[in-house]
Amino acid sequence: MPLYDAPDDLTEMESINPATGEQIESYDEHTESDIDDALDRASETFEEWRETSFAHRQTLMENAADVLRENEEKYASLMTEEMGKPIEQARSEVEKCAWVCEYYAETAEEHLQDEVIGTQSDASAFVSYEPLGPVLAVMPWNFPFWQVFRFVAPNLCAGNVGLLKHASNVPGCALAIEEVLEEAGFPEGAFTTLLAGSDKMNDVIDDRRVKAVTLTGSEPAGRAVAKRAGENLKKTVLELGGSDPFVVLDDAHVAETAEKAAKGRLQNSGQSCIAAKRFIVHTDVYDEFVEQFVEEMDSWTVGDPSEEDTQVGPQAREDLLEDLHEQVEGTIDAGAECRLGGEPLDREGAFYPPTVLVDVPTDAPAATEETFGPAAAVFEVDSEEEALELANDTSFGLGASVWTSDLERGEQFARGFEAGCCFVNEVVKSDPRVPFGGIEDSGYGRELSEHGIREFVNRKTVWVQHGLGGDVE
């Protein structure tokens, strides 16, 4: 199970520093009346916002990119404090948010231009891409700015307005994002943060003022949101968890691949849906890879996420660390060998070390569940065919990568992955220019690129019949 969701049975949200366990701030939840007022504002703002020009939306989105960059240190530090992201990675996240704002400022009009369709000589037809209205976004804590901005940028540029229910352990980030858009000049109601637990979201989804829902989170949360939205016949996009395979073929450059493997597993302290989690290695390079992979994993610096040299910070909450450790222990009990790590660090904060498990049985927790933290499961296979079969032996289908010195072989192998985002000689990543999303238990729909901005629009067919009293040149 993807471990994204914070507890929701709260009347007050507390921001806790996972590196120290100390409270940063507390926030009162929004009441039902507050939420109703927010929905009214969103609905009213939409009627005006949908009529604004692409040029105006472009200007404001470019402003948002400027606000993000001007306040990079402030927002990066906030992420580091609230969910433990290493500070340098937090700065990179802010920059990526600015990038997606600029990308859609530049491309939204092109992505949403009318699409002319050839029909017959006495008629013309086109598809018009028009906004739907207020869209509810339910977002996780692990990339507290990026996950939101990859929703915000395309949808505001498309003429929709946004409502954010963020994870309950990052309320400061949620309010800061609202602040960014206000400073950029977006009108009140174009984007609103709802400080509320999941228990209040059913009523929001039911509300006729809300036209669609997107969620990034756990599989159970995705099923619940999809069911509720489906009962209301509302469009949904779900980006759920992953157990991404990292396949090392017999002709891979082992040293470079092991270095990339560590990055793929440990980025964001291992708390990423598209992190490499299952390392499937051909027997011809298995021993060499394991040795170098363990060395690379061990070389990453674990520590205070506010320190510049820290590469792995704490897990975002103590309960997440406990869940991860239970999976590691269960995998070892099932017969795996622990080559590195495997025990919570004896220090203040929710710190778990880089961990490498080898000889992992295919029915062990690390093989069948998503391990949402810095624990890697390594498998040995005898052939390319066995590697692909094991890679696809999962209920998830988000990302996958294959590593080889033969690019044609790698591309052909990647075509065999049953996943939404497949890479050759590169760690799985999200990029504004290409669509992002999964299949099966990893969800459906796409974010980013042209595909993402067209998810929450009305694809309106307009047919114009000629020759019935109108002149056509």
Side-chain angles (χ1 to χ4, degrees):
M1 178 188 301
L3 304 174
Y4 295 150
D5 304 316
D8 293 307
D9 54 342
L10 305 170
T11 57
E12 185 179 79
M13 292 184 182
E14 292 185 345
S15 179
I16 304 293
N17 187 330
T20 65
E22 297 176 354
Q23 179 176 311
I24 304 168
E25 187 62 81
S26 64
Y27 304 82
D28 291 334
E29 271 203 30
H30 286 153
T31 65
E32 292 181 4
S33 177
D34 293 333
I35 293 173
D36 187 62
D37 289 344
L39 293 179
D40 266 346
R41 284 195 302 274
S43 185
E44 292 168 3
T45 300
F46 170 66
E47 294 306 322
E48 298 178 4
W49 182 247
R50 68 184 303 175
E51 301 300 331
T52 59
S53 67
F54 280 110
H56 180 61
R57 298 174 201 167
Q58 173 183 348
T59 296
L60 299 190
M61 199 56 68
E62 289 174 342
N63 290 348
D66 291 341
V67 174
L68 284 162
R69 290 197 174 102
E70 290 166 4
N71 296 277
E72 178 182 286
E73 200 63 31
K74 171 184 173 182
Y75 298 138
S77 296
L78 179 58
M79 282 187 272
T80 296
E81 287 182 348
E82 283 204 317
M83 55 73 59
K85 189 184 300 288
I87 186 64
E88 186 56 38
Q89 295 174 35
R91 295 187 187 108
S92 296
E93 182 167 335
V94 176
E95 173 57 34
K96 193 170 185 179
C97 293
W99 178 24
V100 77
C101 290
E102 290 176 336
Y103 171 80
Y104 279 110
E106 295 170 2
T107 63
E109 185 172 10
E110 177 184 355
H111 290 333
L112 297 177
Q113 64 184 330
D114 291 347
E115 180 181 349
V116 177
I117 298 176
T119 53
Q120 56 197 48
S121 60
D122 62 345
S124 58
F126 62 91
V127 176
S128 175
Y129 297 97
E130 301 178 4
L132 294 180
V135 180
L136 172 65
V138 182
M139 291 292 151
W141 48 262
N142 58 329
F143 289 91
F145 269 63
W146 169 244
Q147 305 277 18
V148 178
F149 271 96
R150 76 184 190 196
F151 155 76
V152 163
N155 278 284
L156 292 188
C157 283
N160 293 316
V161 298
L163 298 157
L164 171 66
K165 180 266 183 279
H166 217 326
S168 299
N169 59 330
V170 288
C173 290
L175 293 172
I177 293 167
E178 189 177 73
E179 171 189 283
V180 170
L181 297 170
E182 288 176 355
E183 290 190 20
F186 285 90
E188 182 182 10
F191 177 85
T192 305
T193 286
L194 305 177
L195 290 183
S198 294
D199 58 311
K200 291 187 173 71
M201 289 304 105
N202 280 342
D203 288 342
V204 176
I205 295 171
D206 290 344
D207 197 291
R208 291 181 61 83
R209 290 168 291 186
V210 172
K211 303 303 181 183
V213 187
T214 182
L215 175 141
T216 298
S218 70
E219 179 193 341
R223 290 183 186 277
V225 164
K227 180 179 179 181
R228 195 77 180 202
E231 291 172 349
N232 289 277
L233 296 179
K234 294 180 180 180
K235 173 71 180 292
T236 53
V237 169
L238 304 180
E239 194 272 280
L240 308 180
S243 186
D244 288 9
F246 184 107
V247 177
V248 183
L249 298 181
D250 54 352
D251 63 345
H253 299 290
V254 174
E256 295 91 337
T257 300
E259 181 180 354
K260 292 287 190 178
K263 179 180 179 181
R265 176 62 279 199
L266 297 179
Q267 189 76 5
N268 203 40
S269 305
Q271 301 169 119
S272 172
C273 53
I274 52 172
K277 299 182 177 85
R278 295 178 298 131
F279 297 81
I280 300 167
V281 186
H282 193 282
T283 188
D284 288 356
V285 293
Y286 178 83
D287 290 338
E288 182 184 1
F289 175 83
V290 169
E291 180 182 356
Q292 296 200 34
F293 183 46
V294 170
E295 289 181 6
E296 289 289 344
M297 292 279 282
D298 194 35
S299 72
W300 280 55
T301 302
V302 181
D304 181 346
S306 65
E307 297 291 336
E308 295 292 338
D309 62 348
T310 292
Q311 296 168 290
V312 179
Q315 302 301 280
R317 298 194 312 269
E318 186 68 33
D319 62 299
L320 301 177
L321 179 148
E322 292 169 357
D323 289 338
L324 176 65
H325 186 50
E326 183 177 323
Q327 290 174 308
V328 169
E329 288 187 313
T331 301
I332 294 171
D333 290 344
E337 177 189 351
C338 184
R339 289 284 188 91
L340 179 70
E343 292 285 345
L345 294 180
D346 184 17
R347 58 175 293 173
E348 184 179 51
F351 288 90
Y352 204 86
T355 295
V356 178
L357 305 170
V358 300
D359 299 327
V360 176
T362 56
D363 60 351
T368 61
E369 303 171 6
E370 180 178 27
T371 50
F372 211 65
V378 187
F379 305 83
E380 183 175 3
V381 293
D382 293 325
S383 68
E384 185 173 324
E385 293 72 24
E386 185 183 356
L388 185 59
E389 181 180 359
L390 183 55
N392 291 334
D393 184 21
T394 176
S395 63
F396 296 104
L398 186 53
S401 65
V402 60
W403 302 77
T404 172
S405 60
D406 185 336
L407 296 183
E408 183 176 348
R409 181 188 186 191
E411 181 179 329
Q412 190 61 35
F413 192 98
R415 289 180 181 275
F417 281 133
E418 295 172 2
C421 306
C422 304
F423 288 70
V424 180
N425 292 347
E426 177 62 290
V427 295
V428 179
K429 59 185 178 181
S430 57
D431 182 308
R433 299 165 295 187
V434 294
F436 180 85
I439 60 173
E440 299 190 26
D441 287 355
S442 291
Y444 53 74
R446 292 295 179 264
E447 297 177 293
L448 303 176
S449 78
E450 176 183 357
H451 300 269
I453 198 172
R454 290 185 174 186
E455 285 286 2
F456 294 123
V457 294
N458 175 16
R459 297 170 173 85
K460 180 189 288 185
T461 297
V462 179
W463 179 291
V464 181
Q465 188 66 44
H466 304 165
L468 296 178
D471 294 329
V472 178
E473 296 182 1

